[in-house]
Amino acid sequence: MNQPNNFKQIQVDRLVCLLIGSVLTSGSIAIGCARAEPTAPSDDNSLTRVTSTGSVAATLTAIDRTAPFIPAAHRIAQASDIAGNWAEPFIRALVAQDIIKGYPDGTFQPDRPITRAEFAALLNKAFALQPIRAARTFKDVPTNYWAAAVIQTASQAGFIAGYPDGTFAPSQNISRIQSLVALVNGSKLTPTGNVDLNNVFGDAAQVPSYGQNALIAATQSCVAVSVEYDSSRLPGGNFGPNAVATRADVAAYIHQVLVSTGKLSAVAVTSPANKYVAACPQGTYVTTIGDTTPRTAGLSADEAISKLGVVDRVPELAYSSANIYPVAGLNTPYAFGASWGQVFVGTSYQSSTRAALYLNPPNVGQARNDGAVYLGFGLGDARSFLGLETVATSYSTAISGLLNAGSLSFKLHKQFGDNFAIAGGFENAIPFNRNNLDGGQTGYGVASLVLNPDPNVGFLSNTTLSVGGGAGRFRTVGDIRTGKDSYGVFGSLGTRLSPNLSLVADWNGQDLGVGVPITLYLGDSATLQVVPSVVDLVNKETGGARFVVNAGLGFRF
């Protein structure tokens, strides 16, 4: 189509504005990004909300409450950016029904991530939503927000839910599996037989437990669509459950749901788009599968996808539902950790140090108040490969002495699904300006298992058992005092009493501690946690009970 003469200048202006906004936002993030424990990572890429006062925050808030431009439906016919796109037939079918639209500049932007607010708006256009539950007030969705009405309607219809802290996170991007779970739940699609996801998707192991049943139902209904898939083979490739959903992804899902309910005609059998629809028994194109090598002993490929029991019901889409909420120990490691995009800072204070546990004989008179501050961040991805958590700790809380005594510690961790993880770490791996760190350099290994995962964080949910072993500070009292090289066993057991309150006990190799983590969720992707605890409760050799408090702020971008 012919563009206005000033079209290029407009695009440059937009780019400059975006860059300026990014710099301002990043500056605000750098001041406040931190974390107490790994906030259950969700696989969402969240937009950070600026919480500082001033013109920047006011401007961003005003922008966030402004409805996006919605052009006339015919503009999409001129959109050059969907011609040849993998999802073009799905998109054009929805445009013909006025369900989805393009942008004023004549583009559709199929690869653009879709936010939770935009997703709710699409649900309202695609389905005749009827309330099945009571209305809910979301504290981050004011009445004048452009999507307030569609968010409320989608929530009452059971398609999508808010978070336990009373927020909805309208600007947060939604993942493929989250959007698929919402569509399956809201459309009442249920499995009618058995499907082994491992025989359909090469990355089935990466599907969160809450999304497995939904993906089975979607596969059987020809709703599971992915640009990473090729139905001419079985397994046909990946689904990419934890990738951010794009406008093309969601358009394909909605199209196929409407086809499965008889409200739209299926894409022509000869259309190349069919290759992206995951192999389902009812699909006419399944006959094009060329690789019939049995994936299970004694079964053909077609027989294999009709096997395997259906997992438990899919929970309601809730806070950070791409992950559960594991409970960490008080001062012992656990196997879940920070991955790329997670940053945290914190401080700790203890009413007295142990009565010179590292001296032989002990000198009670050397016990003193003490504290520390720390900064950490994650690298890698513990779900898809490995995560690396790095923490810098200063054992001086005075500004002038931050670098006078401290160390760098590292933890390499791997997560298997939502509920199990293993890790190996090295505390005080690189000490600086201190030759006599209590406990010294400490290597360890640990495994953590969430016994009753619940993304909705119910009472006694997400009970987490961690067990590990290591040298250094995990040795027995006798071995520590004599300086004997040995290994000790540590562990913790914690459970969620509510979204904001947990109870945890841990054994650090010498004594028992009990604490009550208090967690506050600050907006879409920040978490504040305060953990008062009493440690050294049972072993008199460790110097008697002591009060310890930790506080930290975590941020995920």
Side-chain angles (χ1 to χ4, degrees):
M1 62 178 291
N2 295 326
Q3 302 287 3
N5 293 332
N6 63 343
F7 176 76
K8 292 184 178 179
Q9 182 61 46
I10 292 173
Q11 301 308 309
V12 172
D13 292 344
R14 287 180 179 174
L15 180 59
V16 171
C17 290
L18 285 173
L19 290 173
I20 293 174
S22 298
V23 171
L24 292 174
T25 305
S26 299
S28 301
I29 292 171
I31 295 172
C33 58
R35 152 185 168 284
E37 68 168 355
T39 51
S42 98
D43 294 319
D44 291 343
N45 290 332
S46 306
L47 295 178
T48 304
R49 195 174 309 282
V50 178
T51 56
S52 59
T53 58
S55 59
V56 174
T59 301
L60 291 179
T61 301
I63 292 173
D64 193 42
R65 294 182 182 179
T66 304
F69 290 104
I70 301 178
H74 71 274
R75 296 297 295 274
I76 189 64
Q78 304 173 21
S80 59
D81 59 346
I82 67 166
N85 184 273
W86 70 273
E88 179 180 2
F90 306 116
I91 295 170
R92 291 197 181 279
L94 295 182
V95 169
Q97 298 296 318
D98 197 27
I99 293 173
I100 196 168
K101 298 179 180 180
Y103 290 92
D105 62 359
T107 65
F108 180 78
Q109 301 179 31
D111 297 325
R112 173 179 169 176
I114 192 164
T115 67
R116 287 165 56 84
E118 292 169 338
F119 182 64
L122 279 178
L123 294 175
N124 277 258
K125 291 286 290 183
F127 305 100
L129 301 184
Q130 299 297 323
I132 62 172
R133 59 190 181 197
R136 182 180 178 187
T137 300
F138 301 110
K139 52 190 182 184
D140 60 344
V141 182
T143 54
N144 63 337
Y145 185 73
W146 72 267
V150 294
I151 288 172
Q152 190 61 244
T153 301
S155 172
Q156 287 187 259
F159 272 82
I160 196 167
Y163 296 160
D165 64 348
T167 64
F168 183 80
S171 298
Q172 193 176 78
N173 294 332
I174 195 167
S175 71
R176 288 180 184 172
I177 193 63
Q178 287 176 332
S179 58
L180 194 67
V181 167
L183 286 166
V184 168
N185 282 352
S187 302
K188 304 298 186 293
L189 298 180
T190 57
T192 56
N194 300 325
V195 171
D196 186 344
L197 293 179
N198 290 295
N199 287 321
V200 181
F201 302 106
D203 59 353
Q206 297 179 24
V207 179
S209 57
Y210 77 89
Q212 292 171 0
N213 202 29
L215 188 52
I216 290 173
T219 300
Q220 293 180 316
S221 303
C222 302
V223 173
V225 187
S226 176
V227 67
E228 301 177 44
Y229 198 81
D230 182 352
S231 65
S232 65
R233 295 183 59 84
L234 194 64
N238 295 333
F239 179 72
N242 301 311
V244 174
T246 64
R247 285 165 56 83
D249 291 328
V250 173
Y253 303 156
I254 290 177
H255 179 276
Q256 293 300 97
V257 168
L258 294 175
V259 170
S260 71
T261 56
K263 296 180 180 178
L264 278 183
S265 299
V267 171
V269 176
T270 56
S271 173
N274 277 322
K275 67 181 289 187
Y276 303 109
V277 183
C280 54
Q282 296 83 6
T284 56
Y285 56 88
V286 168
T287 56
T288 65
I289 294 177
D291 185 357
T292 59
T293 304
R295 307 300 182 189
T296 306
L299 297 178
S300 68
D302 287 338
E303 290 171 330
I305 64 172
S306 65
K307 301 296 180 183
L308 186 68
V310 176
V311 298
D312 294 336
R313 71 176 182 86
V314 180
E316 182 179 76
L317 189 62
Y319 183 81
S320 194
S321 56
N323 283 281
I324 41 74
Y325 289 74
V327 183
L330 297 176
N331 69 343
T332 58
Y334 80 146
F336 295 94
S339 292
W340 175 253
Q342 292 177 309
V343 182
F344 53 97
V345 296
T347 184
S348 65
Y349 168 81
Q350 51 186 334
S351 59
S352 66
T353 56
R354 286 179 164 184
L357 179 63
Y358 291 86
L359 297 179
N360 189 17
N363 186 342
V364 177
Q366 288 196 8
R368 64 191 186 281
N369 296 343
D370 200 6
V373 293
Y374 57 87
L375 166 67
F377 59 90
L379 296 173
D381 185 346
R383 284 180 169 273
S384 61
F385 183 55
L386 289 174
L388 176 63
E389 181 176 284
T390 301
V391 182
T393 303
S394 172
Y395 300 107
S396 172
T397 56
I399 298 297
S400 59
L402 285 180
L403 298 179
N404 289 339
S407 67
L408 290 177
S409 300
F410 304 95
K411 178 169 71 174
L412 196 65
H413 53 101
K414 171 63 179 174
Q415 191 168 337
F416 301 90
D418 289 340
N419 311 330
F420 181 67
I422 59 174
F426 213 150
E427 295 181 348
N428 301 325
I430 305 177
F432 49 89
N433 295 340
R434 184 171 180 176
N435 297 322
N436 188 26
L437 291 170
D438 290 347
Q441 294 177 316
T442 299
Y444 66 87
V446 62
S448 297
L449 174 66
V450 182
L451 302 176
N452 54 339
D454 179 6
N456 295 302
V457 195
F459 183 68
L460 297 182
S461 68
N462 300 294
T463 300
T464 307
L465 173 65
S466 297
V467 178
R473 70 181 179 97
F474 302 120
R475 296 169 291 167
T476 65
V477 172
D479 288 347
I480 289 175
R481 285 181 177 161
T482 60
K484 179 181 178 180
D485 291 332
S486 63
Y487 298 89
V489 175
F490 63 86
S492 64
L493 181 65
T495 190
R496 299 279 177 181
L497 304 178
S498 74
N500 304 106
L501 189 67
S502 301
L503 178 64
V504 62
D506 76 356
W507 176 263
N508 58 18
Q510 306 94 35
D511 215 330
L512 181 69
V514 177
V516 183
I518 302 167
T519 306
L520 299 176
Y521 304 105
L522 309 177
D524 293 354
S525 54
T527 304
L528 172 67
Q529 187 174 73
V530 179
V531 188
S533 59
V534 180
V535 299
D536 290 351
L537 290 172
V538 298
N539 188 349
K540 293 182 179 180
E541 288 188 283
T542 57
R546 300 176 297 118
F547 175 74
V548 179
V549 62
N550 289 276
L553 181 65
F555 180 78
R556 178 179 178 86
F557 63 88

